[in-house]
Amino acid sequence: MVELIKSIKAHTDKAWSVSAHPTIPLLATASTDQSTKLYKLSSKQNFPLIAKLDDAHNRSIRSVSFKPPLGGVDNPPPNILDLPALASGSFDSKISIWGVDEPDSVYDLEEIIERQAEVLSSASNEWNLMAIIEGHENEVKCVDWNYDGRFLASCSRDKSVWIWETDPETLEEFECVSVLNDHSQDVKNVTWHPELNILASSSYDDTIRIYDQDDNDYEWNCVGILNGHEGTVWCSKFEDFKSPNADKNKIRLVSSSDDLTVRIWAANKLEDGSKSELPSSIREVKEMTWEVESVLPAAHKYPVYSVAWSAITGKIASAGSDGKIVIYSETSKGKWEIESVHELSHGVAEINCIIWARLDDKSEILVTAGDDGTINFWNP
């Protein structure tokens, strides 16, 4: 059963989003009160506030996302002090990049440990505004980094998805390498695959779009359209290949919608050899064939705003307008059951975001952000 560990009144207005760093016990929050807060995930019952970042946006901060380490979670370069960085997207149409120190210097192991300890100390605030990214014509709804921190995706009420490229060692300059206008309505969410440069976007137009980069000319193309939801698709998340039930030859995605459903989609991976050497002007884009693998058992009474897929257990968590937290487990390939349901998880307030996060001891918890401005920590 889902059990509340701790509730923190983090914001004076709606808490929209939370993001956990993939390798460091750090949590970021975003709110209508125009602030981002950083907490250390020390241990259960102990989540000290490290920093408050509140001088970059003049409207609601809708989304936050931590940059993964250089080379990805599984292949960080040795002796590089890759200190954390954070992107925040706002209704003021801007994206802010926050960072700590210079991440491209070589250190010995003792210095690395010492500097990371300083960053995680609630007594210091060494976060600096490193860049402001502009380009969207309307509210930025979501930002997300790819697996090695080279690309940042953003989406907006202006119906577009932008892909920005940066040097992950400096994070001071961002170049827009693609503007994708495949959706016909407001784009609510973007999410990268944890190990591949494949991006999904979810929209008010009831669809999910899948994008892949062409290795021959580095253009980004829509390679899949997922139709089936009968309402706004609020969120989607890819399954990690490290998940206990994952098949490395298949890509799976979970999505949640206004139609009250949570769905699992599946497609075979694109083969590298399928990408032609013909000029892009005459080359046919290779598409992925996606199918609905499963519609999870019905549990929600109102729109489902957020879903999260655990890389450790393979379980899926969902939350939304009805204040429920629902945990699903896969009993056999493509067969899911409800493991537990927790009602009124933020009182009468809606839940805007749910994620899996790891504590300092590597144990896993759930974190939710609600309309009541609170961040809740849960034993799943």
Side-chain angles (χ1 to χ4, degrees):
M1 295 294 292
V2 177
E3 178 186 17
L4 181 65
I5 301 170
K6 193 176 183 68
S7 181
I8 295 177
K9 181 64 175 178
H11 297 284
T12 58
D13 211 324
K14 290 183 181 180
W16 281 113
S17 171
V18 283
S19 174
H21 193 281
T23 60
I24 300 172
L26 274 176
L27 182 83
T29 70
S31 172
T32 297
D33 68 13
Q34 303 172 21
S35 74
T36 293
K37 290 187 177 180
L38 305 180
Y39 295 87
K40 181 182 179 182
L41 300 175
S42 298
S43 63
K44 293 178 181 179
Q45 299 293 341
N46 187 20
F47 307 104
L49 178 65
I50 292 174
K52 181 180 180 182
L53 314 176
D54 59 358
D55 54 358
H57 297 290
N58 56 29
R59 292 189 65 192
S60 298
I61 301 175
R62 184 63 177 83
S63 175
V64 282
S65 176
F66 275 113
K67 182 187 77 65
L70 300 175
V73 172
D74 298 321
N75 298 291
N79 298 328
I80 296 294
L81 181 58
D82 184 24
L83 293 171
L86 181 76
S88 61
S90 169
F91 284 180
D92 64 10
S93 78
K94 298 176 183 178
I95 302 163
S96 295
I97 307 297
W98 296 87
V100 181
D101 209 354
E102 295 293 334
D104 58 349
S105 302
V106 177
Y107 293 76
D108 63 32
L109 182 58
E110 289 185 1
E111 287 177 304
I112 291 176
I113 294 173
E114 181 180 347
R115 285 293 293 116
Q116 287 185 341
E118 290 176 1
V119 171
L120 291 170
S121 169
S122 58
S124 69
N125 184 353
E126 301 188 16
W127 288 80
N128 301 305
L129 183 60
M130 304 183 72
I132 296 285
I133 305 173
E134 298 183 76
H136 282 291
E137 297 177 357
N138 214 313
E139 300 168 354
V140 175
K141 294 298 182 71
C142 186
V143 290
D144 195 43
W145 296 92
N146 79 320
Y147 73 94
D148 64 358
R150 179 184 171 192
F151 296 110
L152 178 71
S154 59
C155 65
S156 169
R157 190 177 178 182
D158 65 15
K159 307 176 187 178
S160 69
V161 174
W162 291 46
I163 298 177
W164 310 85
E165 185 174 15
T166 188
D167 179 351
E169 295 187 5
T170 62
L171 298 174
E172 293 180 351
E173 294 184 4
F174 287 76
E175 177 187 1
C176 180
V177 294
S178 192
V179 177
L180 304 166
N181 293 300
D182 298 278
H183 286 289
S184 61
Q185 297 291 335
D186 182 351
V187 189
K188 300 294 188 182
N189 178 264
V190 282
T191 186
W192 291 94
H193 190 281
E195 299 176 58
L196 303 171
N197 275 334
I198 294 178
L199 179 71
S201 61
S202 307
S203 172
Y204 194 77
D205 65 13
D206 305 349
T207 71
I208 302 166
R209 306 275 173 154
I210 308 295
Y211 307 95
D212 186 37
Q213 187 181 33
D214 192 310
D215 289 341
N216 296 290
D217 57 17
Y218 302 106
E219 290 186 358
W220 292 85
N221 301 300
C222 181
V223 296
I225 304 174
L226 283 58
N227 292 294
H229 279 297
E230 298 178 356
T232 299
V233 186
W234 287 97
C235 183
S236 63
K237 294 294 177 184
F238 286 103
E239 179 185 31
D240 196 306
F241 286 144
K242 294 187 288 294
S243 174
N245 299 316
D247 178 351
K248 290 193 175 182
N249 294 314
K250 182 171 286 188
I251 298 173
R252 293 200 295 177
L253 182 80
V254 60
S255 62
S256 62
S257 170
D258 249 6
D259 65 12
L260 316 187
T261 67
V262 176
R263 298 176 181 234
I264 306 291
W265 310 79
N268 292 326
K269 288 173 61 178
L270 283 176
E271 297 180 3
D272 293 339
S274 68
K275 298 183 179 182
S276 170
E277 295 182 0
L278 293 171
S280 59
S281 59
I282 61 173
R283 184 171 63 247
E284 181 178 355
V285 175
K286 179 70 175 179
E287 292 192 359
M288 303 176 71
T289 301
W290 289 83
E291 296 180 351
V292 177
E293 183 179 85
S294 180
V295 178
L296 273 57
H300 289 281
K301 296 181 179 179
Y302 297 105
V304 190
Y305 292 149
S306 184
V307 283
W309 203 329
S310 170
I312 296 177
T313 65
K315 296 178 182 180
I316 288 173
S318 64
S321 179
D322 58 11
K324 290 182 181 179
I325 295 174
V326 183
I327 308 295
Y328 308 87
S329 57
E330 191 171 17
T331 56
S332 61
K333 198 64 174 180
K335 302 295 183 182
W336 295 79
E337 67 178 16
I338 296 173
E339 181 176 294
S340 63
V341 178
H342 192 280
E343 305 272 358
L344 300 175
S345 301
H346 281 250
V348 297
E350 298 183 350
I351 300 174
N352 297 310
C353 184
I354 187 167
I355 65 168
W356 298 94
R358 298 186 195 183
L359 301 177
D360 204 8
D361 64 3
K362 307 304 181 185
S363 62
E364 191 174 48
I365 61 172
L366 282 168
V367 185
T368 55
D371 267 5
D372 54 2
T374 64
I375 305 299
N376 287 347
F377 302 84
W378 306 88
N379 266 328

